[in-house]
Amino acid sequence: MTHNEDRSHWIKEGAIGLGVGVLYGTTSVCVGHPFDTIKTKMQAQPGFETTSMWKTFTKTLRTQGVIGLYRGCIPPLWGSGIFRSTQFAVFEAAYTYMDSDFGQHTIPGTFGLQSRVVLGGVMASTARAIIETPLEFAKVRRQTNQTWALRGLYTGFGVTWCRTVGLMTSYFILVDSGRRHFPEMFKSPVLGPFLVSGLAATMAWWLVWPLEYMKSQVQGNYGQQVSVLKRMQLVIKERGGFFALYRGIGPGTIRSFLSNGSSMVVMSYAQKKVSEWGLRD
């Protein structure tokens, strides 16, 4: 679904997704990590609770230098390749496997959305969350100038899973919709994949941003040790209402659009090369 190449057996599609997904993941970190660092500091580091995106950026540069923007990048650099390749492998395998009446069932009122897109998204999200949670924990602790220990690696798994299911299922639905309704976009080697993936990912992030905010606080050990729901209530009460839950959305939006757009360009090119090399035969 994330490509327009002729499909082979579902196991082979999963293996190809595993391979090209590594390129997606590493590209995403290289392009987007500085913006992710700014976002995390705004959400979960004492001293940055009220600073703007620009002030957070300049303060980080002044106190830590450029290297401060890439603090905590090592876990996601190698880990992102793993969990993103896993998410694409699981999705592509599930999507191809469910090439049946059940999988191709069109959900009423969705303008052609098939059930296998949603089911594949949930399965891919779950696989990603299992791998991603410890990596995100280590990354957030380093971004907020804290240490971390092995015993806490699955801190925040529940909120990470909820965020990831909402994020990736929405992403796959939006990419599928773009592929079906604007097929010519996917034929463009650069602009089409960049815009489709960048916009889909950004819209999906907007939907789940409050959960991303809460994940950062839980994994960053920020504030009181209370439930996620209670944290959300405290933010709404103390920081200006519902839209306070969207703190950090500026750098998050920039990161999402640039990193996911660039990553899809790289992955689409790799998918075409796989077909040209006869690896789908």
Side-chain angles (χ1 to χ4, degrees), residues 8-250:
S8 57
H9 190 270
W10 69 271
I11 294 179
K12 185 176 287 189
E13 283 298 323
I16 293 170
L18 193 67
V20 299
V22 172
L23 298 176
Y24 191 106
T26 52
T27 302
S28 178
V29 174
C30 291
V31 173
H33 193 80
F35 299 102
D36 188 72
T37 296
I38 294 170
K39 179 271 297 181
T40 301
K41 286 180 177 294
M42 291 173 67
Q43 292 178 335
Q45 183 170 345
F48 289 87
E49 296 97 330
T50 60
T51 57
S52 65
M53 177 177 69
W54 178 250
K55 287 186 177 180
T56 301
F57 170 72
T58 56
K59 184 176 180 179
T60 302
L61 277 184
R62 186 175 64 253
T63 58
Q64 300 177 37
V66 174
I67 195 171
L69 295 173
Y70 282 92
R71 184 178 293 275
C73 73
I74 299 302
L77 185 60
W78 62 264
S80 179
I82 297 173
F83 71 72
R84 282 192 169 89
S85 64
T86 299
Q87 81 184 15
F88 285 114
V90 171
F91 181 85
E92 292 296 348
Y95 182 86
T96 307
Y97 180 78
M98 289 187 282
D99 188 15
S100 61
D101 290 340
F102 170 75
Q104 294 182 9
H105 171 70
T106 300
I107 301 173
T110 60
F111 302 100
L113 176 66
Q114 296 180 353
S115 59
R116 59 177 172 168
V117 176
V118 178
L119 294 173
V122 173
M123 288 187 280
S125 301
T126 300
R128 167 174 166 164
I130 292 171
I131 300 171
E132 182 183 22
T133 298
L135 300 169
E136 280 289 296
F137 173 74
K139 182 201 73 173
V140 169
R141 287 301 175 96
R142 293 296 294 140
Q143 287 177 323
T144 55
N145 298 327
Q146 300 180 72
T147 58
W148 57 273
L150 289 175
R151 65 178 180 274
L153 284 180
Y154 274 90
T155 299
F157 174 76
V159 67
T160 301
W161 180 80
C162 291
R163 173 270 257 165
T164 306
V165 169
L167 171 68
M168 293 312 305
T169 304
S170 298
Y171 173 79
F172 287 126
I173 289 172
L174 290 169
V175 170
D176 174 72
S177 178
R179 181 186 62 82
R180 287 185 291 105
H181 296 294
F182 307 100
E184 294 300 319
M185 292 286 284
F186 263 82
K187 294 180 181 179
S188 169
V190 177
L191 185 61
F194 183 89
L195 290 176
V196 170
S197 182
L199 291 172
T202 301
M203 292 174 67
W205 271 116
W206 287 347
L207 291 173
V208 302
W209 196 256
L211 292 175
E212 171 68 8
Y213 187 179
M214 295 301 100
K215 182 195 75 68
S216 294
Q217 287 204 346
V218 171
Q219 294 186 322
N221 196 33
Y222 181 87
Q224 303 177 36
Q225 299 303 304
V226 294
S227 69
V228 170
L229 181 59
K230 183 63 176 177
R231 283 179 180 274
M232 295 178 77
Q233 291 173 339
L234 287 172
V235 169
I236 292 172
K237 179 181 179 181
E238 298 175 359
R239 300 191 180 180
F242 174 78
F243 287 104
L245 293 171
Y246 279 83
R247 177 160 178 76
I249 192 67

